Amino acid sequence: TLTPALCALILKNNHGKERKPTPINRFLDKFNNMFTLGMGKYHNFLTKFITRKAITLPFLLAFLVGVFLLSNKIPSGFIPSEDQGMIYAIIQTPPGSTLERTNQIALELQKASEDIDGVLSVFSLAGYEVLTEGTGSNSGTCLINLKNWSDRKESAAEIIEQLEEKAKEIPGANIEFFQPPSIPGYGAAGGFELRVMDKSGSGDYHKMEEVSKELVKELKKRPEIGSAFTFYSASFPQYMLKIDNDIAEQKGVSIENAMNNLSTLIGSNYETSFIRFDRPYKVIVQAGPQYRALPTDLLKLYVKNDKDQMVPYSDFMHLEKVYGLSEITRHNLYNSSEVSGSPAPGYSSGDAIKAVQEVAEKTLPRGFGIDWTGISKDEVSRGNEALYIFLVCLAFVYLILSAQYESFILPLPIILSLPTGIFGAFLSLSLLGLENNIYAQVAMVMLIGLLGKNAVLIVEYAVQKKAEEGLSVRDAALQGAALRFRPILMTSFAFIAGLIPLALATGPGAIGNRTIGTAAAGGMLIGTIFGLLIIPGLYYIFGTIAEKSRLAIYENEYPLTEQTEPYKHDGKFEN
């Protein structure tokens, strides 16, 4: 509804009368004169350039080489870490620390975080660790909520740097900060996640602790790694119950009965329920608190033997102090430890993953390996899927154009003009320091259609002029390029103008918006400018080949689109 109304207001038929010299008319006249002048210079340039294969083909080759070099230079990624307005803090006090000590550290961190500009509120929780969803008296979590993006100047990454400086002033705890994952459900944190696995089957948890900490130590030396940490520890103070089976047998005590009885006395057991005063009550059997306050109280308890005599546990059992795990974690049936981290500023997740693989290959001893988890697993397993998708899109477009032009040669100028846009996308990403992630790849797939449309406008018109008016390939290419010069520029620059807000996006989702906007706008700009120069030359080359060699007996260069009149074949009109 808007376009016809604008046409009625602007494109009025004056029936030979002079138009009124209004500001709009003067602007339109200048605009049209500018376009006409530009089209004339463009046509004059093409007359000298279009038939020179020695210029067109090296020009195309230069763009292909540029695409190859930039694609290897730009850091790769999968899904960028976005500022979601929240930061996680994991607190680890030394093994064996009490819950009160951990809670004190959490409160100190909470108080220090609230003093930072940009932090809205802080919620602390002792005894629970959100990264591995584990519980323990020496672990805690702080959820730091940030102010709205419009009310703060710092990003979440910059606030994390301030929090790390504050955390250095809190002794007696290891505190790590990270952002939530970009996609909920893909792991517990942003950055990278992996598991160190003991494939030797030794079951040596202390060896696993040494290997994990050595891997983290080496990772921190790499410039691609901003942070790396593991909370795996086999140094928790514990008591091991040592049972003398021979003495227990002499006492007439069954080991199974002794363990079940000890489990009931220490850990409790549900026996039955009863109703009183119209309310149900549960019967829980357990030793009184005063009989299980200290570890040595275990040896003062009794168990009944096979002669219904009460035998103290101290007769056939003793306690031994050991160090071990608070929780046993497994991955793919192997004993494992979790290592997490994030890339350093200026490096992508792909750079960090490559660095981790190199360090793991050099550092891990024989029998140990790593496996990726969370969003890192998808990024590693993805491989060259984006390249295959791009090639499939090109093949799909080529087959459609082949059916449209009834030729397998004429679509090649359109397909071969696309590297100019891909080069522009990579160049814009490189200049603005963005990475080649899934958003950039979506933009490049979109460029196939957008830049292919520009090439189709020229090739379509040239094919029609050659078929209907009998023009030579050179003249058809010149007319097609000159007459399509204006619609190509206007539609392309209108699209680029619409991408500017994406390329300059701020706030939530800014990195993804900037990536797709920058790649699409840069690819469209360079692809349009250089495509106008290279497409006519490519059409001249392949149009000449198509004219000399036909792949089918009844092949005709009559495109199926924009055809309004029947054409002759063997002296007969056909539709």
Side-chain angles (χ1 to χ4, degrees), residues 520-535:
M524 198 66 185
L525 178 63
I526 295 180
T528 299
I529 294 173
F530 290 98
L532 286 170
L533 303 177
I534 200 172
I535 293 169

Side-chain angles (χ1 to χ4, degrees), residues 10-29:
I10 299 174
L11 305 178
K12 291 183 178 180
N13 189 354
N14 295 311
H15 301 286
K17 300 178 182 179
E18 292 186 3
R19 292 191 302 172
K20 296 180 180 180
T22 61
I24 294 179
N25 289 335
R26 285 195 296 267
F27 172 76
L28 291 176
D29 290 337

Side-chain angles (χ1 to χ4, degrees), residues 32 38 40 98 118 150 175 191 234 318 344 434 447 461 513:
N32 289 328
T98 62
S150 59
I175 303 175
H318 69 276
L434 299 172
L447 286 174
Y461 193 82
N513 290 334

Side-chain angles (χ1 to χ4, degrees), residues 156 195 317 352 380 391 406 411 465 513:
R195 297 288 190 274
M317 182 186 297
V380 172
L391 293 177
E406 297 183 2
K465 284 295 182 182
N513 290 334

Side-chain angles (χ1 to χ4, degrees), residues 172-236:
N174 181 21
I175 303 175
E176 297 290 344
F177 301 92
F178 56 90
Q179 299 183 55
S182 300
I183 299 179
Y186 271 90
F192 60 85
E193 299 179 47
L194 65 133
R195 297 288 190 274
V196 178
M197 300 181 296
D198 180 7
K199 298 183 178 180
S200 63
S202 64
D204 189 346
Y205 301 117
H206 296 281
K207 178 68 174 178
M208 173 68 79
E209 180 181 6
E210 294 175 6
V211 170
S212 301
K213 291 184 177 179
E214 181 65 21
L215 177 63
V216 170
K217 180 181 177 181
E218 294 299 320
L219 286 177
K220 290 182 177 179
K221 296 179 181 179
R222 293 294 295 257
E224 301 94 334
I225 307 299
S227 66
F229 57 90
T230 178
F231 294 134
Y232 185 90
S233 177
S235 303
F236 286 87

Side-chain angles (χ1 to χ4, degrees), residues 69-364:
L69 295 177
L70 285 175
S71 63
N72 292 329
K73 177 184 177 182
I74 297 176
S76 62
F78 188 47
I79 298 177
S81 225
E82 297 282 2
D83 185 347
Q84 302 183 57
M86 178 177 286
I87 298 173
Y88 293 159
I90 301 299
I91 302 170
Q92 285 283 325
T93 52
S97 300
T98 62
L99 191 64
E100 290 76 14
R101 171 60 180 163
T102 305
N103 188 51
Q104 180 184 355
I105 296 292
L107 293 176
E108 291 181 14
L109 178 61
Q110 179 179 354
K111 184 177 180 181
S113 302
E114 290 174 346
D115 296 335
I116 296 178
D117 186 25
V119 174
L120 179 63
S121 61
V122 182
F123 172 77
S124 62
L125 179 64
Y128 176 78
E129 188 251 293
V130 70
L131 189 62
T132 60
E133 297 183 354
T135 58
S137 61
N138 73 316
S139 60
T141 301
C142 281
L143 304 180
I144 303 171
N145 297 309
L146 306 181
K147 295 179 181 178
N148 193 12
W149 290 268
S150 59
D151 298 333
R152 56 183 166 97
K153 299 179 180 178
E154 300 87 357
S155 64
E158 294 171 338
I159 293 178
I160 286 178
E161 294 179 0
Q162 299 180 39
L163 289 170
E164 289 172 344
E165 293 297 323
K166 292 280 187 179
K168 293 178 181 179
E169 302 174 1
I170 303 177
N174 181 21
I175 303 175
E176 297 290 344
F177 301 92
F178 56 90
Q179 299 183 55
S182 300
I183 299 179
Y186 271 90
F192 60 85
E193 299 179 47
L194 65 133
R195 297 288 190 274
V196 178
M197 300 181 296
D198 180 7
K199 298 183 178 180
S200 63
S202 64
D204 189 346
Y205 301 117
H206 296 281
K207 178 68 174 178
M208 173 68 79
E209 180 181 6
E210 294 175 6
V211 170
S212 301
K213 291 184 177 179
E214 181 65 21
L215 177 63
V216 170
K217 180 181 177 181
E218 294 299 320
L219 286 177
K220 290 182 177 179
K221 296 179 181 179
R222 293 294 295 257
E224 301 94 334
I225 307 299
S227 66
F229 57 90
T230 178
F231 294 134
Y232 185 90
S233 177
S235 303
F236 286 87
Q238 300 171 342
Y239 281 98
M240 178 71 74
L241 290 174
K242 294 289 186 177
I243 301 174
D244 192 325
N245 293 330
D246 295 334
I247 295 179
E249 187 176 355
Q250 292 175 5
K251 297 288 184 179
V253 176
S254 166
I255 301 301
E256 179 183 5
N257 184 37
M259 293 298 100
N260 289 337
N261 182 67
L262 190 62
S263 175
T264 299
L265 294 174
I266 302 300
S268 77
N269 188 36
Y270 168 75
E271 296 295 338
T272 185
S273 299
F274 65 93
I275 297 176
R276 188 155 179 100
F277 308 115
D278 293 330
R279 295 185 61 184
Y281 293 89
K282 293 182 179 181
V283 178
I284 305 295
V285 179
Q286 188 180 31
Q290 67 274 23
Y291 298 104
R292 50 185 174 85
L294 301 173
T296 54
D297 291 340
L298 296 176
L299 303 179
K300 300 176 183 179
L301 299 175
Y302 289 80
V303 62
K304 188 179 292 188
N305 63 6
D306 53 0
K307 298 179 181 179
D308 291 339
Q309 297 174 342
M310 303 303 292
V311 179
Y313 280 94
S314 58
D315 285 358
F316 59 92
M317 182 186 297
H318 69 276
L319 295 176
E320 202 173 286
K321 288 185 177 181
V322 296
Y323 294 92
L325 297 170
S326 62
E327 293 180 349
I328 297 177
T329 57
R330 297 184 185 274
H331 183 77
N332 290 344
L333 302 180
Y334 297 110
N335 292 334
S336 67
S337 66
E338 181 177 356
V339 176
S340 302
S342 60
Y347 292 91
S348 67
S349 58
D351 296 331
I353 287 174
K354 185 177 179 181
V356 171
Q357 291 172 336
E358 293 175 356
V359 171
E361 187 176 351
K362 297 178 181 178
T363 305
L364 294 181

Side-chain angles (χ1 to χ4, degrees), residues 388-402 411 415 418 448:
Y388 300 143
I389 292 173
F390 193 78
L391 293 177
V392 168
C393 292
L394 287 179
F396 186 70
V397 171
Y398 173 75
L399 293 175
I400 291 178
L401 293 174
S402 297
I415 300 298
L418 298 177
I448 295 177

